[in-house]
Amino acid sequence: MSRIGKNPIAIPEGVTVTVDGQTVAVKGKLGELSRDLVPGISVKVEDNTVYVDRADDSRIQKSCHGLSRSLIFNMIEGVVKGYKKELTIEGTGFKAVDNGKILSLSLGFASPKDYAIPEGIKVTIDKGGVKLAVEGISKELVGQAAARIRSYYPAEPYKGKGIKYAGEVIRRKQGKTVA
């Protein structure tokens, strides 16, 4: 039995979880999320608690048991609190500008890099355009948006220029030495 999959999920007050076949829908104060689960994984809701079970002990069922429980837990957490990833831009002249649904990143290239902000994600820029906060109710979407923004210019190890997560430590290299 999966150690993660067998743990029940407590449903907080103000959250409703509905199961329709293989589709699980979670509704809370911040919004609504739904997800289709792998066939063979069953979900029961009893007494403000969600139970996730698998049909058999096959390899695919075992691997999806804990995953399905974690996905449902993240959906419940998202509609209650939401998720947030913070990014920091370092470098001379590097900054971000919000143009409605498009994030324009000036990163030292000939033209700025434009990122279309997906539906359900909110990006806030503060402190001179060098601090970004990516927020939303879906952990998957928030992480994907932050990773996509960071991928335009990841922080490099020599000068530390680029985009990094807040709190991320970049191991610095010495560089070349002249004889």
Side-chain angles (χ1 to χ4, degrees):
M1 194 66 150
S2 170
R3 281 183 276 177
I4 294 173
K6 68 180 178 183
N7 293 336
I9 305 169
I11 301 174
E13 194 154 323
V15 176
T16 58
V17 178
T18 56
V19 180
D20 183 28
Q22 291 301 111
T23 303
V24 178
V26 179
K27 190 173 186 178
K29 65 178 181 178
L30 295 180
E32 185 174 352
L33 294 171
S34 66
R35 176 175 291 276
D36 292 331
L37 298 177
V38 176
I41 301 293
S42 61
V43 179
K44 292 187 299 188
V45 180
E46 295 175 354
D47 303 327
N48 286 336
T49 307
V50 178
Y51 298 98
V52 181
D53 199 17
R54 63 178 185 241
D56 55 34
D57 287 338
S58 67
R59 187 179 184 101
I60 190 76
Q61 292 293 309
K62 285 181 178 181
S63 64
C64 292
H65 188 202
L67 170 71
S68 300
R69 190 256 183 215
S70 294
L71 291 173
I72 295 168
F73 178 79
N74 289 340
M75 289 167 50
I76 292 172
E77 192 83 12
V79 297
V80 172
K81 298 178 187 173
Y83 290 100
K84 181 178 185 177
K85 290 243 183 196
E86 295 179 349
L87 299 165
T88 305
I89 302 174
E90 289 186 21
T92 306
F94 287 19
K95 64 179 181 175
V97 178
D98 188 13
N99 298 329
K101 292 302 274 178
I102 295 178
L103 181 67
S104 183
L105 300 161
S106 299
L107 301 172
F109 298 114
S111 60
K113 298 285 185 178
D114 292 333
Y115 174 68
I117 300 168
E119 197 67 38
I121 297 295
K122 183 177 132 191
V123 177
T124 55
I125 304 169
D126 59 321
K127 216 173 190 184
V130 296
K131 295 228 183 239
L132 300 170
V134 181
E135 300 175 78
I137 60 172
S138 173
K139 187 175 188 177
E140 187 176 352
L141 275 178
V142 170
Q144 181 65 39
R148 187 64 53 98
I149 292 168
R150 184 180 181 274
S151 73
Y152 287 121
Y153 200 123
E156 50 96 10
Y158 295 101
K159 292 184 180 178
K161 295 185 344 180
I163 303 172
K164 65 179 189 170
Y165 294 112
E168 180 183 8
V169 177
I170 304 298
R171 288 189 54 185
R172 302 295 294 272
K173 292 184 179 178
Q174 186 174 357
K176 292 183 179 179
T177 57
V178 179

